[in-house]
Amino acid sequence: MKTNQVLASADRSLFGITIRQQTKDQFLSVSDLQRAYEFARFQHGWSDKRISDILNTETTKERIYYLLQDRAIVKTTFPAFMEMVKSEGIAKVLKGLGVYKTMGRGENKTVACDPYIWVLLALELNPMIYAKVILWLTDSLIFDRIDAGSEYMPMNSAIKRIVECPDYPKYAKAINERVFGRHLAGMRNLASAKELRKIADIEGIVINAIEMGWLKNESDILKAIRGAR
């Protein structure tokens, strides 16, 4: 059973507050989002606003329903969903659906939720946070991920030219260990922009070295990955 790790890279910083993310379920911290808003509102003179209040608006509930329906997490009708929310409370319903959770007790109590719901809540807080979250999602964390992914298949194709029966997961694991210092399933989905760029660079190094004839076998490939700078 894999240990649940908490990622806290610089790319997950919002107004100086690091938004923690769990590797196991990819949940993002709602508590950190609230702290980020509190920090920013005193700097910019915003009004007091609580995420719990946003969560309980009719508009948010409706948006959450369609977000969950499109992902096949809920299969009931909208009226039935709203009736359940009215009876049980939105937080309890979301916990029951496995997209919202509370961890710890007292001062250590934290709330986290599914990334899609986290983004929905963040976009409702303030126009400035809206802008930052949009840039955060569509800038380095997405485009660098595309770059890292776009090099993966060409690298595999290059490897196949010199290795008869390539063990592709072995090379991906070696790259993870070189970039992150360890291997854990799903790590690339949560990598920072800098880490994603490093992954793409290593994949490019392997491709170029094979094309130049510098790598002859699997041992050479792994040596190149582990020695990449």
Side-chain angles (χ1 to χ4, degrees):
M1 184 175 182
K2 294 181 176 65
T3 303
N4 192 17
Q5 303 289 326
V6 177
L7 286 176
S9 73
D11 286 333
R12 293 176 176 81
S13 177
L14 186 62
F15 293 111
I17 302 298
T18 298
I19 307 299
R20 290 167 292 180
Q21 187 170 27
Q22 306 287 325
T23 59
K24 195 171 184 178
D25 51 23
Q26 299 188 22
F27 277 23
L28 285 158
S29 173
V30 175
S31 300
D32 291 340
L33 176 59
Q34 183 69 60
R35 287 175 58 226
Y37 179 82
E38 289 297 315
F39 185 79
R41 87 176 183 90
F42 286 113
Q43 289 184 318
H44 300 286
W46 300 341
S47 62
D48 186 21
K49 191 175 288 187
R50 312 302 300 174
I51 292 175
S52 57
D53 294 334
I54 293 174
L55 190 62
N56 278 288
T57 66
E58 296 303 302
T59 299
T60 299
K61 292 172 186 175
E62 183 175 1
R63 288 173 177 169
I64 287 175
Y65 169 76
Y66 288 109
L67 186 61
L68 297 177
Q69 184 195 52
D70 282 353
R71 296 165 62 204
I73 294 175
V74 293
K75 302 182 185 298
T76 187
T77 64
F78 176 65
F81 175 80
M82 292 300 287
E83 186 62 34
M84 183 177 294
V85 167
K86 182 179 180 180
S87 173
E88 303 287 342
I90 184 65
K92 187 173 181 179
V93 169
L94 295 181
K95 287 178 181 178
L97 292 170
V99 294
Y100 199 85
K101 65 182 178 182
T102 302
M103 301 167 289
R105 296 181 179 180
E107 294 182 356
N108 296 321
K109 181 179 178 181
T110 60
V111 177
C113 71
D114 172 274
Y116 292 94
I117 293 176
W118 187 94
V119 170
L120 186 156
L121 296 172
L123 296 181
E124 293 296 318
L125 276 170
N126 180 275
M128 189 179 293
I129 289 183
Y130 183 102
K132 286 187 177 294
V133 170
I134 290 294
L135 291 172
W136 184 23
L137 291 174
T138 58
D139 197 356
S140 60
L141 286 179
I142 287 183
F143 291 130
D144 282 337
R145 181 162 288 112
I146 290 172
D147 288 344
S150 67
E151 294 293 338
Y152 183 68
M153 292 308 295
M155 183 187 74
N156 286 352
S157 296
I159 289 173
K160 193 173 183 179
R161 295 204 299 268
I162 62 171
V163 178
E164 186 174 349
C165 296
D167 184 357
Y168 297 121
K170 181 187 291 185
Y171 314 128
K173 180 179 178 180
I175 292 175
N176 282 353
E177 290 172 344
R178 182 70 186 93
V179 174
F180 305 108
R182 67 187 189 284
H183 172 70
L184 188 67
M187 290 188 75
R188 296 188 183 199
N189 293 329
L190 306 176
S192 70
K194 184 177 180 180
E195 290 165 340
L196 290 167
R197 174 51 49 198
K198 182 64 176 177
I199 290 170
D201 288 346
I202 293 175
E203 290 169 346
I205 287 170
V206 172
I207 293 169
N208 292 334
I210 291 174
E211 291 177 347
M212 295 297 291
W214 297 334
L215 305 182
K216 304 294 186 181
N217 51 47
E218 183 176 89
S219 178
D220 288 346
I221 294 168
L222 293 174
K223 188 180 296 184
I225 290 172
R226 291 163 183 158
R229 296 181 178 276

